[in-house]
Amino acid sequence: QVQLVESGGGLVQAGGSLRLSCAASRTIFSINAMGWYRQAPGKQRELVAALTSGSNTNYADSVKGRFTISRDNVKNTIYLQMNSLKPEDTAVYYCKARYRDFDYWGQGTPVTVSS
């Protein structure tokens, strides 16, 4: 019922920036919550940032002050602005949407930060 397509990942040097995008197949007005997760090789998937319909935000401690989640309701897209990237940020980043009590996931976009 909700398709999510991430983009914007790539290879950057430590200290650089990337902006990830997640385009939803339906208006995000109807989506209860959206967020970004990441999974590094050999590690569990973890929450990076979340945004509710009330514009409340939550961030992982490891990214606070560096990452910012935002949305564009016209484009039905959420973003993750990532600044001051560190090698430990290297992971596949996934967009998630909660709609009618069910979670939908995008295919993921890889981010690699070189030292």
Side-chain angles (χ1 to χ4, degrees):
Q1 291 183 323
V2 180
Q3 291 181 307
L4 306 171
V5 180
E6 303 101 329
S7 62
L11 173 64
V12 298
Q13 292 183 320
S17 298
L18 284 174
R19 189 182 73 163
L20 306 183
S21 299
C22 173
S25 63
R26 63 167 53 247
T27 174
I28 59 176
F29 285 120
S30 65
I31 298 176
N32 302 115
M34 300 187 73
W36 289 95
Y37 290 72
R38 68 185 181 188
Q39 187 166 21
K43 297 183 179 180
Q44 293 183 311
R45 189 172 298 185
E46 64 175 345
L47 173 70
V48 177
L51 178 67
T52 69
S53 60
S55 298
N56 293 321
T57 59
N58 288 293
Y59 295 94
D61 288 341
S62 60
V63 307
K64 285 182 179 178
R66 299 189 297 120
F67 291 9
T68 303
I69 187 171
S70 62
R71 67 186 180 192
D72 186 329
N73 293 329
V74 175
K75 297 181 178 179
N76 294 328
T77 300
I78 66 166
Y79 304 93
L80 184 67
Q81 179 66 47
M82 305 186 295
N83 298 326
S84 302
L85 283 162
K86 305 174 181 179
E88 50 263 43
D89 295 319
T90 296
V92 177
Y93 284 71
Y94 297 89
C95 180
K96 188 188 80 172
R98 177 163 291 178
Y99 177 66
R100 293 183 174 178
D101 300 320
F102 190 85
D103 290 337
Y104 298 84
W105 294 87
Q107 83 287 350
T109 185
V111 172
T112 301
V113 184
S114 62
S115 59

